Amino acid sequence: MTSFLALLFRDIRLAVRAGGGAALALAFFAAVVTLVPLGVGADLRLLSRIAGGVLWVAAVLAALLSLDRLFQADYEDGSLDLIVLSPLQLEATAVAKIGAHWLATGLPLTALSALLAVLFDLSQAGTGALVLSLLIGTPAVSAIGAIGAALTLSIRRGGLILPLIVLPLLAPAVIFGSGAVLAAQDGLASGALYLLTAFSLLCVLLSPFAVAASVRLNLAT
Amino acid sequence: MSIFELANPKRFMQVSAVFLPWIAAAAAVTLAAGLVLGFAVPPDYQQGTTVRIMFLHVPAAWTAMMAYGLMAVASAIGLINRHPLADVAAKAAAPLGAVFTALGLVTGSLWGKPMWGAWWVWDGRLTSFLLLLFLYLGYIALGGAIEDENRSARACAILAIVGAVNLPIIEFSVDWWTTLHQGESILRKGGPLIAPVFLWPLFLMALGYTLLFFALWLVRIRTEIVNRRARTLTMARAT
């Protein structure tokens, strides 16, 4: 447990300090969301309609931005070898890495989304559903993204392949997440949040095994 | 003889050399017969003559899904039993699956224009098929980016299995999202909804596409084995 927490806090510290990318992901999120009204026009009725989808897609892209370094940086400076040699199970290491990424990226993105929702004139019910759905869904983004990051850790241009691998797998999260926002705006009952919760739990449960297997194969000689 | 005896590349080359011409010939014959029968069907009372696109479109979609299933099974065997031949088989299936997926999307688009009035609609099955194409492309890109043969095969195998677990969920979520595409009309309770005169050419074409896939798959596996042998021989001479 001590080594688990040590790894978790180390990764969070690395992410939030200079050059870690957590703050950059937030800035990227805000910048992408700002570009959308410039592209589609300033009609607030239209913007409030697409707010859930836009914020969800932007949040997924922003989370992906910092994912490619999740294992690669440790792989390049050799600390990944030491982490693998430590008594901590590799699956638990994967959980710590995913947790740190979520705490440093997913959670701040969720908080920022409530502020950005104001720019889109999202209703109160819609904003509540958005924040809740991001809170539930971003762990799945970190979990699936970690599989992609672990698979591409030894590839020099891994950051280009990662989105192609990860984005199709994240389609359910985007569908259920933005669907929950739309349903809340229209005042309709919807199972989207439950389905999103199920998807997220499944991803968080299964992905550490895939991540650990991917790290192992990349370190095997 | 168990199937694993075929995992010996030498034995595989011998056996596949015998079967390949027969499978290829059978594919040619069934595809030809299916095309002739397909052109001979009467025009549909609603869709007119465009219904014939079905004979090219539906089998392509079936074959694309079958290819992903075979790729995932081969990946699992390669990952668990460490059979290099299974690795080769999984990797050889991916580009074929991608092409059949693209074929399904293109023929569907050509069929959609006269029927739905648009080249593309954001309907459940079209969308999940587009995502399937991206899964194939991601798999091919990952396999190409890792130089080490063994490492590349195992990374691809993990991705294929993760994709296979996720595919039903993607399918479900996209269906939940919206649906316009026609529902299941062949394998359903109470028998097919399609008239027998259309069903026969469809099954022939499906058989033809499947045989074609297997023939091409065997050719690709054999090519890869020969390539690896050539590489090993070159390396041996160089040292």
Side-chain angles (χ1 to χ4, degrees):
Chain A
M1 202 62 206
T2 335
S3 43
F4 178 84
L5 289 177
L7 185 62
L8 184 75
F9 288 126
R10 164 193 179 267
D11 266 36
I12 293 176
R13 274 198 297 274
L14 281 175
V16 296
R17 284 183 187 166
L24 287 175
L26 286 177
F28 176 82
F29 182 46
V32 167
V33 166
T34 311
L35 274 184
V36 171
L38 302 183
V40 302
D43 177 11
L44 269 184
R45 250 191 340 204
L46 172 69
L47 286 177
S48 80
R49 216 46 219 157
I50 61 172
V54 167
L55 286 164
W56 248 98
V57 170
V60 167
L61 292 179
L64 277 190
L65 201 62
S66 54
L67 263 171
D68 66 315
R69 301 296 289 169
L70 192 63
F71 290 99
Q72 205 176 40
D74 289 347
Y75 175 74
E76 280 166 4
D77 67 12
S79 41
L80 191 60
D81 292 300
L82 291 178
I83 294 171
V84 171
L85 285 176
S86 80
L88 198 62
Q89 285 256 322
L90 202 46
E91 282 79 8
T93 304
V95 175
K97 284 269 182 194
I98 293 167
H101 181 263
W102 181 70
L103 287 170
T105 312
L107 200 56
L109 284 175
T110 305
L112 185 59
S113 72
L115 186 63
L116 293 174
V118 176
L119 300 182
F120 282 71
D121 195 27
L122 194 62
S123 69
Q124 208 170 1
T127 307
L130 175 71
V131 171
L132 196 58
S133 68
L134 278 172
L135 195 65
I136 295 171
T138 40
V141 178
S142 295
I144 299 258
I147 301 178
L151 282 174
T152 56
L153 71 87
S154 65
I155 305 172
R156 207 171 305 146
R157 311 292 307 263
L160 291 177
I161 296 177
L162 180 74
L164 186 57
I165 294 177
V166 168
L167 286 177
L169 298 175
L170 285 174
V174 174
I175 289 172
F176 295 137
S178 54
V181 179
L182 267 187
Q185 274 174 292
D186 296 340
L188 297 171
S190 151
L193 275 181
Y194 298 114
L195 292 168
L196 182 64
T197 312
F199 177 71
S200 195
L201 284 175
L202 189 76
C203 291
V204 171
L205 182 72
L206 293 183
S207 103
F209 298 100
V211 171
S214 312
V215 171
R216 263 188 214 112
L217 81 90
N218 270 309
L219 292 182
T221 42
Chain B
M1 189 180 76
S2 90
I3 191 159
F4 287 111
E5 277 174 49
L6 285 177
N8 177 338
K10 199 176 162 199
R11 183 103 190 93
F12 174 84
M13 289 304 266
Q14 287 168 348
V15 173
S16 62
V18 176
F19 278 104
L20 183 56
W22 291 100
I23 297 177
V29 170
T30 35
L31 281 177
L35 278 178
V36 169
L37 274 182
F39 274 113
V41 296
D44 184 70
Y45 78 102
Q46 268 184 328
Q47 309 199 2
T49 194
T50 61
V51 73
R52 296 193 175 105
I53 301 174
M54 174 175 75
F55 303 129
L56 297 174
H57 167 68
V58 177
W62 280 344
T63 314
M65 288 190 281
M66 178 189 71
Y68 199 94
L70 288 172
M71 192 173 91
V73 170
S75 298
I77 295 175
L79 201 61
I80 297 165
N81 298 350
R82 300 279 163 89
H83 273 309
L85 190 69
D87 293 341
V88 172
K91 231 174 181 176
L96 293 174
V99 167
F100 278 106
T101 311
L103 198 61
L105 285 170
V106 170
T107 50
S109 172
L110 292 174
W111 197 6
K113 184 64 183 169
M115 287 303 104
W116 294 334
W119 296 112
W120 181 264
V121 288
W122 286 98
D123 139 81
R125 283 212 206 166
L126 273 77
T127 311
S128 52
F129 242 71
L130 190 58
L131 290 170
L132 179 68
L133 182 65
F134 288 136
L135 280 181
Y136 273 126
L137 294 182
Y139 179 97
I140 296 168
L142 181 68
I146 305 178
E147 271 175 38
D148 183 82
E149 236 165 50
N150 208 4
R151 218 183 254 193
S152 155
R154 289 175 62 195
C156 282
I158 291 174
L159 182 61
I161 292 166
V162 169
V165 172
N166 213 314
L167 261 181
I169 306 176
I170 294 177
E171 181 92 356
F172 168 77
S173 68
V174 170
D175 278 346
W176 179 88
W177 177 52
T178 173
T179 202
L180 176 71
H181 196 286
Q182 124 162 40
E184 192 57 66
S185 40
I186 292 171
L187 292 170
R188 64 185 281 281
K189 254 190 183 164
L193 278 177
I194 298 179
V197 67
F198 291 110
L199 218 47
W200 272 109
L202 183 60
F203 279 141
L204 267 182
M205 288 303 279
L207 186 65
Y209 268 69
T210 310
L211 287 168
L212 177 65
F213 170 81
F214 275 104
L216 293 173
W217 198 22
L218 281 181
V219 170
R220 286 187 57 88
I221 297 174
R222 288 171 58 84
T223 311
E224 179 63 24
I225 291 176
V226 172
N227 272 342
R228 286 190 182 188
R229 254 185 219 165
R231 222 174 302 148
T232 318
L233 285 176
T234 327
M235 294 282 269
R237 182 173 292 180
T239 47

